[in-house]
């Protein structure tokens, strides 16, 4: 099984993000929000939104993005082929990491068995 997180698995362009936001399939938890849209590919893609308003310091925002990317990288084989945009609503650190990942696990669309 391949665990890389290359460009085919990322949402990079503004148009990609806009198309996911336009569909308005929003799932929300206290710490994160998730928008998703079927993408017609054979694999999921991930986009992240961590606003400066959420965490002023870049190292905190980078930690949150790194954590979410790592979760996606390890779990993408179980995910439905869709474009996912995850928005962090509240800052989290090492202490809250597992709680946020558990919330993400609850709301992410998974492949049908």
């Amino acid at each position: 099984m391949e665990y890389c997180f290359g460009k085919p698995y990322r949402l990079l362009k503004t148009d990609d993000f806009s198309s996911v936001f336009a569909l308005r399939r929003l799932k929300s938890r206290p710490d994160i929000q998730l928008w998703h849209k079927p993408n017609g590919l054979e694999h999921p893609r991930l986009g992240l939104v961590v606003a400066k308003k959420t965490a002023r310091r870049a190292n905190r925002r980078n930690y949150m993005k790194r954590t979410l990317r790592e979760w996606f990288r390890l779990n993408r084989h179980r995910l439905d082929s869709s474009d996912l945009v995850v928005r962090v609503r509240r800052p989290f650190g090492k202490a809250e990491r597992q709680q946020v990942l558990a919330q993400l696990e609850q709301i992410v669309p998974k492949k049908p068995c």
Side-chain angles (χ1 to χ4, degrees):
M1 193 174 307
E2 187 180 312
Y3 287 110
C4 67
F5 185 64
K7 280 195 177 186
Y9 300 103
R10 301 177 190 185
L11 291 177
L12 298 173
K13 298 182 181 177
T14 304
D15 292 340
D16 294 337
F17 278 86
S18 297
S19 68
V20 175
F21 286 133
L23 196 59
R24 296 297 294 172
R25 286 191 185 168
L26 172 68
K27 295 180 180 179
S28 187
R29 292 292 181 266
D31 295 322
I32 56 173
Q33 288 179 321
L34 174 82
W35 286 268
H36 64 95
K37 172 191 137 189
N39 64 11
L41 302 172
E42 295 184 9
H43 56 81
R45 298 190 302 172
L46 177 69
L48 298 171
V49 178
V50 183
K52 207 175 209 181
K53 186 177 179 180
T54 304
R56 299 291 294 168
R57 312 256 326 162
N59 62 339
R60 301 262 335 254
R61 292 192 306 273
N62 291 339
Y63 173 79
M64 290 183 265
K65 289 189 280 189
R66 208 169 35 246
T67 300
L68 295 170
R69 278 194 302 261
E70 180 70 6
W71 179 88
F72 177 81
R73 188 181 70 80
L74 294 174
N75 292 288
R76 77 164 185 256
H77 63 279
R78 299 184 307 128
L79 303 179
D80 197 10
S81 61
S82 58
D83 291 341
L84 307 169
V85 176
V86 178
R87 177 179 166 248
V88 177
R89 297 175 75 183
R90 286 191 221 156
F92 64 89
K94 291 179 183 175
E96 302 90 6
R97 180 178 185 265
Q98 290 302 321
Q99 175 186 344
V100 171
L101 294 180
Q103 290 177 19
L104 184 61
E105 185 76 33
Q106 291 173 355
I107 61 176
V108 165
K110 296 182 181 59
K111 282 184 184 176
C113 293

